[in-house]
Amino acid sequence: MDEITALAKRRGFIFQSSEIYGGIGGFFDYGPLGSILKRNVKDAWWREIVELRDDVVGFDSSIIMHPSTWIASGHVANFSDKYVDCKNCKHRFRADHLPSLERCPDCGMRDALTEPRNFNLMMQTNVGPMEDSASRAYLRPETAQGMFVNFKNIYQSARKKPPFGIAQIGKSFRNEITPGNFTFRVREFEQAELEFFVPDDGNDLAWYEQWVHARKKWYGDYGVRQDRLRFHELTSQERPHYAKVGTDVEYLFPWGWGELESIAHRGTYDLDAHMQLSGKDLTYFDEASKSKYTPILIESSAGMDRTALTMLVDAYQSETIAGEASGKETTRVVLRFHPKIAPVQVGIFPLARNKPELVERARQIERGLRPHFRTQYDEGNVGQLYRRQDEIGTPKCIMVDYESLQDGTVTVRDRDSMRQDRVDAARLRTYLAERL
Ligand code: GAP
């Protein structure tokens, strides 16, 4: 993990937030490559969940909602973790993360930990010029509630009838007691949530199974190693009382299994809760039968920061190879990203940067490919250029050399096999499209 964290900083994937002031716990910034990596992860989710389906509509709700939202949802009363303080070193811990409450894990002092106390994870702010309890509001701890309170607006305006879903990607905030493991547990993060509403016609469990299957396929399609992914079906003790069934998607990180996503059958709990507190009708009116009912909800809620981190960790490999030019043994660090996830898909370089005709030809090829792929022009020592592109996970590199000027061909190097093909530059777009 230390190697990956160092690489993420060195190559511009992820930086600590406000680093020049010493950072702030649980917040991170995505650099030039990291921002594209995360965008690609989000686009891959959106494409699959919204664009390629005709039964899911997109949505984008505000981060701050009416405070009653969080009373109805149960977050004000129950969205808390238990914490303990060490009376000796003053450090604070999440009680359920400690193997025992007998001894402080940091200073080792016996009987120094306080009794566990509740800590609400919602971040607070004030709306308007007054800072009093009447103006108190919360930064949403999940995007889901925006979709529940808008259920009627959405199905009526989009003319949708259950089974149908609402999908949203957006920022959520949780004042985690102990953020950690790089971007795994943070205080500001992005969630991609799907709320799929189904009629109470006996097919709800089949819909749930279908979504578990669809999500399994999605991770596989984007290359996440199957032996590091597991779908853990929750026991009745593990899932909330209203959930009929639930599955956590987990990835084997260097520190152990960590949750990427939760998929749950939530019954009518959420819509019922909002109807009760708001007094507004959020049932679905079925024109055909002239009757109304509260649809059952199947939810899939994935963390985009955790998924981007998974892509990074899963892609990372440090291997010993024979040097491409020298033949001597060397260590190669490579990110084997799926081509759709890789921030740069094609690197293009001239063999020598002091030869204007090579530079011009390489730049021309790069300009031609740019509208179709995520490209990057670079120049310098060839070995170092390949190393750098391997480290940022670029699947294909194109080298323009003297032969290119004579016969119009270029060398295309494959990141994973390091094999080099000679390809006619006029065919590059098709050649790359077939492989990326
Ligand atoms: N609406 C359901 C919901 O929010 P959750 O299991 O609390 O369910 C869903 O959160 C996902 O959001 C998690 O599986 C995780 O990927 C992500 N997530 C939750 N807390 C997070 C945190 N502190 N840092 C990063 N991601 C987080």
Side-chain angles (χ1 to χ4, degrees):
M1 207 52 216
D2 287 345
E3 283 172 32
I4 293 170
T5 309
L7 169 73
K9 182 175 177 190
R10 187 170 70 248
R11 293 302 187 191
F13 283 95
I14 300 169
F15 309 123
Q16 196 182 15
S17 165
S18 355
E19 194 184 10
I20 62 164
Y21 292 105
I24 170 165
F27 297 88
F28 286 90
D29 297 333
Y30 286 83
L33 292 179
S35 57
I36 306 175
L37 170 68
K38 189 153 91 155
R39 181 169 294 273
N40 293 344
V41 170
K42 290 190 286 182
D43 285 351
W45 187 91
W46 191 262
R47 178 112 189 103
E48 191 74 23
I49 303 284
V50 183
E51 291 177 358
L52 293 178
R53 300 183 66 107
D54 63 1
D55 58 356
V56 177
V57 293
F59 191 61
D60 188 0
S61 62
S62 63
I63 285 174
I64 294 176
M65 300 176 66
H66 191 288
S68 294
T69 308
W70 308 107
I71 296 172
S73 68
H75 284 81
V76 169
N78 302 318
F79 194 56
S80 51
D81 280 335
K82 289 212 183 309
Y83 72 93
V84 292
D85 285 318
C86 173
K87 288 178 263 185
N88 182 48
C89 69
K90 313 286 180 220
H91 289 177
R92 180 166 281 185
F93 309 94
R94 231 174 95 170
D96 62 335
H97 284 180
L98 298 182
S100 126
L101 296 180
E102 274 174 24
R103 192 188 274 279
C104 171
D106 279 2
C107 70
M109 179 77 92
R110 268 189 176 279
D111 301 326
L113 297 178
T114 59
E115 282 300 306
R117 275 175 280 197
N118 275 332
F119 176 76
N120 193 294
L121 299 183
M122 278 199 296
M123 290 213 191
Q124 294 185 15
T125 186
N126 292 88
V127 173
M130 303 297 283
E131 278 190 30
D132 55 18
S133 60
S135 69
R136 181 186 303 148
Y138 302 96
L139 304 191
R140 67 180 175 201
E142 61 174 20
T143 70
Q145 301 299 327
M147 298 183 263
F148 303 147
V149 301
N150 276 289
F151 174 67
K152 197 164 194 169
N153 283 338
I154 295 171
Y155 86 71
Q156 285 182 338
S157 59
R159 295 183 299 120
K160 288 290 178 198
K161 173 183 169 137
F164 87 97
I166 309 171
Q168 157 158 235
I169 300 179
K171 290 261 183 177
S172 293
F173 301 81
R174 295 183 188 180
N175 200 3
E176 296 285 353
I177 296 169
T178 44
N181 287 331
F182 201 27
T183 54
F184 182 81
R185 178 164 287 104
V186 285
R187 292 179 167 135
E188 173 178 343
F189 54 96
E190 276 185 279
Q191 287 184 311
E193 301 200 281
L194 165 76
E195 310 302 335
F196 200 81
F197 299 93
V198 302
D200 189 6
D201 59 3
N203 289 319
D204 49 325
L205 282 174
W207 272 111
Y208 163 81
E209 291 297 342
Q210 193 173 313
W211 277 110
V212 171
H213 176 77
R215 296 302 298 142
K216 212 175 250 178
K217 183 170 177 308
W218 186 86
Y219 288 99
D221 285 350
Y222 290 94
V224 178
R225 284 184 248 181
Q226 293 299 301
D227 58 339
R228 295 205 194 163
L229 198 65
R230 74 178 180 200
F231 280 65
H232 168 66
E233 193 160 332
L234 302 180
T235 62
S236 54
Q237 283 88 43
E238 288 171 321
R239 55 178 194 254
H241 62 93
Y242 48 78
K244 208 167 174 182
V245 273
T247 295
D248 278 355
V249 184
E250 297 177 338
Y251 181 77
L252 186 56
F253 287 98
W255 62 83
W257 291 98
E259 179 196 313
L260 302 183
E261 168 171 350
S262 65
I263 307 168
H265 179 303
R266 295 177 62 96
T268 60
Y269 177 82
D270 304 282
L271 291 178
D272 284 343
H274 286 298
M275 283 196 280
Q276 203 176 2
L277 191 67
S278 69
K280 298 286 179 340
D281 183 15
L282 294 175
T283 57
Y284 178 79
F285 181 72
D286 185 30
E287 286 291 346
S289 63
K290 300 277 180 243
S291 64
K292 58 184 191 176
Y293 65 90
T294 309
I296 290 170
L297 175 66
I298 313 294
E299 175 183 76
S300 144
S301 173
M304 293 292 95
D305 304 77
R306 287 187 185 179
T307 311
L309 181 63
T310 298
M311 297 295 180
L312 199 60
V313 169
D314 202 58
Y316 181 87
Q317 236 163 32
S318 172
E319 55 188 24
T320 307
I321 54 155
E324 281 162 285
S326 64
K328 273 195 268 168
E329 275 207 343
T330 167
T331 303
R332 172 171 99 124
V333 169
V334 55
L335 292 179
R336 296 186 193 277
F337 284 132
H338 185 282
K340 291 222 166 82
I341 298 297
V344 178
Q345 295 176 303
V346 191
I348 298 120
F349 344 112
L351 179 65
R353 68 169 135 200
N354 56 357
K355 297 286 178 229
E357 59 279 29
L358 292 181
V359 169
E360 181 40 40
R361 183 72 186 116
R363 284 198 178 276
Q364 189 190 27
I365 289 176
E366 195 270 336
R367 280 195 300 272
L369 295 175
R370 183 178 281 262
H372 313 289
F373 308 98
R374 291 185 291 276
T375 57
Q376 190 175 76
Y377 171 85
D378 204 353
E379 51 186 33
N381 171 290
V382 174
Q384 282 168 5
L385 288 171
Y386 282 146
R387 278 303 90 83
R388 182 173 174 279
Q389 295 296 333
D390 284 345
E391 269 202 12
I392 65 171
T394 307
K396 298 284 178 192
C397 286
I398 296 171
M399 174 66 67
V400 175
D401 55 20
Y402 296 105
E403 227 178 301
S404 313
L405 301 178
Q406 282 160 11
D407 67 3
T409 63
V410 292
T411 297
V412 182
R413 175 196 182 258
D414 178 67
R415 174 195 67 200
D416 297 338
S417 64
M418 298 195 296
R419 222 188 66 192
Q420 304 199 354
D421 281 348
R422 205 68 201 172
V423 180
D424 185 349
R427 273 194 55 236
L428 270 176
R429 190 176 154 191
T430 320
Y431 175 93
L432 293 168
E434 282 165 359
R435 289 159 178 83
L436 296 173

